[in-house]
Amino acid sequence: MALLALVFMLLLSIVAATVLHSAMLQLHMAGNDQFKEEALYRAQAIATELSLARDNFSLQDAVGSTTCLQGDEAPPCDRSTLIRPSSAQHLEGYTLDVHITRQDPVLWRGFPVREGENDVSSSRSFDAAIFEVDVHLNGSEARLGSARVAQGVAVRVPAVRH
C-alpha cells in the first residue's frame, strides 16, 4: 500500500513539474511579446516624429543620399545632421539606428495629394520628393524587444508646369 502511494505521489510530482514548466514558458513568451510590442511602438513614435520635421528632408539631396543622427558617421551615412527626437531620449538598454534616404525619382511629377479642408488649394496634384525613414531599435543585448520601422514620406513641392 505504501509503495502504491509513493508511485502515485511520483506521478503527481511529474505532472505538477510539467505544468509548472509549461506555465513558465508561457510567461516568458508573453513577456517577449510585450517587449517586442513596446519596441515597435517606440520605433513607430521615433519614425513619426522624424517624419513630421520638414527640416529632415533636403530637396537638394541626390537619390540614394542618406542622412543619419548627429554623431553617426558609419556608412551608409552621407550626412549626420538629424537631431535625436524627443521620443528617443530615454532608451536605456536599446541601441538606435536611424536613416533617412532619398528615393527615386528625384521628383515625382503629378503626385496626387488629398488635403485637409484648411489646406485645400486649386491644384489637383503636386510634385513630390520621396524619402524613406528607417528606424531600427535593438534591445536584444538587454533582453528587451527589437523592432524596425520603415516609413515612406512624400514632401510636397510646388508643381512646375511647362
Side-chain angles (χ1 to χ4, degrees), residues 114-123 126 156:
R114 291 181 60 185
E115 296 179 292
E117 194 173 317
N118 295 340
D119 301 322
V120 173
S121 72
S122 60
S123 179
F126 294 86
R156 185 171 67 178

Side-chain angles (χ1 to χ4, degrees), residues 86-101:
S86 62
S87 55
Q89 294 302 326
H90 304 288
L91 296 174
E92 290 82 17
Y94 290 99
T95 58
L96 177 63
D97 187 26
V98 174
H99 300 101
I100 295 180
T101 306

Side-chain angles (χ1 to χ4, degrees), residues 56-72:
N56 290 336
F57 306 100
S58 172
L59 298 177
Q60 281 66 45
D61 287 349
V63 169
S65 178
T66 300
T67 308
C68 301
L69 289 174
Q70 289 178 346
D72 186 1

Side-chain angles (χ1 to χ4, degrees), residues 15-147:
V15 169
T18 303
V19 168
L20 182 62
H21 180 68
S22 175
M24 290 300 291
L25 283 176
Q26 289 179 359
L27 183 64
H28 284 292
M29 288 187 294
N32 287 343
D33 284 344
Q34 181 182 354
F35 287 138
K36 183 178 178 183
E37 193 170 314
E38 184 179 335
L40 180 62
Y41 288 141
R42 287 178 175 217
Q44 183 63 52
I46 294 166
T48 300
E49 189 175 342
L50 288 169
S51 297
L52 293 175
R54 175 66 175 84
D55 293 342
N56 290 336
F57 306 100
S58 172
L59 298 177
Q60 281 66 45
D61 287 349
V63 169
S65 178
T66 300
T67 308
C68 301
L69 289 174
Q70 289 178 346
D72 186 1
E73 304 296 331
C77 299
D78 296 314
R79 235 174 351 143
S80 300
T81 58
L82 295 176
I83 296 172
R84 191 176 185 94
S86 62
S87 55
Q89 294 302 326
H90 304 288
L91 296 174
E92 290 82 17
Y94 290 99
T95 58
L96 177 63
D97 187 26
V98 174
H99 300 101
I100 295 180
T101 306
R102 179 85 186 254
Q103 301 295 310
D104 194 31
V106 171
L107 209 54
W108 186 344
R109 304 236 183 254
F111 186 78
V113 176
R114 291 181 60 185
E115 296 179 292
E117 194 173 317
N118 295 340
D119 301 322
V120 173
S121 72
S122 60
S123 179
R124 293 179 181 251
S125 64
F126 294 86
D127 293 342
I130 308 299
F131 294 85
E132 181 181 78
V133 178
D134 184 23
V135 176
H136 185 206
L137 193 58
N138 186 352
S140 56
E141 290 293 320
R143 300 189 69 162
L144 297 170
S146 295

